[in-house]
């Protein structure tokens, strides 16, 4: 038997807000997903991003509680270039999402920024710097 990576799952407090955030980043959630207790977006390469409401998770794990003191997971999205990192960050912050780390040229050779989704999960935006 060989286990294979198939999906990333996030627990969300507000499905409609989370679907709207990830759609803004290009994740193709089907119409009506914002009103469901579970939603999936198919990603390139066959992976899926799955969102479940807190109530859905509690339906099979009654003791589940949201983490305290910050998120424990983040998604990293590669942009086409450094200028796209800046543009996507500006778009999200302009739409009211929390900008955790403004775009900067990281010492490891990337333009890098972090925003938070509606539940405080980090979404890292990055692109190689020219010549890297």
């Amino acid at each position: 038997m060989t286990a294979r990576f198939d999906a990333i799952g996030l627990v969300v407090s507000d499905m409609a807000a989370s679907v709207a955030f990830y759609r803004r980043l290009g994740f193709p959630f089907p119409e009506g997903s914002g009103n469901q207790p579970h939603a999936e977006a198919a990603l390139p390469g066959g992976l899926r991003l799955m969102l479940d409401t807190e109530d859905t998770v509690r339906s099979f794990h009654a003791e589940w509680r949201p983490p305290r003191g910050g998120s424990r997971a983040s998604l990293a999205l590669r942009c086409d270039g450094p200028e796209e990192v800046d543009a996507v960050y500006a778009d999200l912050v302009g739409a009211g999402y929390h900008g955790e780390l403004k775009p900067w040229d990281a010492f490891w050779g990337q333009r890098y920024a972090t925003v938070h989704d509606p539940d405080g999960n980090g979404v890292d935006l990055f692109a190689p710097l020219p010549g890297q």
Side-chain angles (χ1 to χ4, degrees):
M1 179 167 88
T2 301
R4 60 186 169 84
F5 188 49
D6 183 69
I8 298 162
L10 298 175
V11 181
V12 302
S13 58
D14 181 334
M15 182 64 80
S18 293
V19 167
F21 175 84
Y22 286 104
R23 275 188 179 149
R24 193 173 195 102
L25 287 168
F27 288 74
F29 282 96
E31 285 303 314
S33 293
N35 301 320
Q36 300 299 315
H38 173 85
E40 296 184 12
L43 306 175
L47 294 176
R48 296 171 294 144
L49 176 61
M50 302 184 308
L51 305 178
D52 287 291
T53 63
E54 293 175 357
D55 288 340
T56 298
V57 173
R58 284 192 198 102
S59 74
F60 60 84
H61 184 5
E63 291 79 32
W64 181 87
R65 299 291 177 264
R68 288 193 140 96
S71 68
R72 297 180 184 201
S74 65
L75 302 178
L77 304 180
R78 183 179 180 137
C79 297
D80 286 336
E83 58 286 334
E84 188 179 21
V85 172
D86 294 2
V88 172
Y89 180 89
D91 175 66
L92 292 169
V93 171
Y97 297 106
H98 174 71
E100 178 67 13
L101 183 62
K102 292 180 181 179
W104 66 293
D105 292 343
F107 62 87
W108 57 83
Q110 294 175 335
R111 184 76 172 160
Y112 200 87
T114 302
V115 295
H116 283 172
D117 76 3
D119 291 291
N121 295 305
V123 177
D124 302 329
L125 308 168
F126 71 94
L129 291 169
Q132 298 294 318

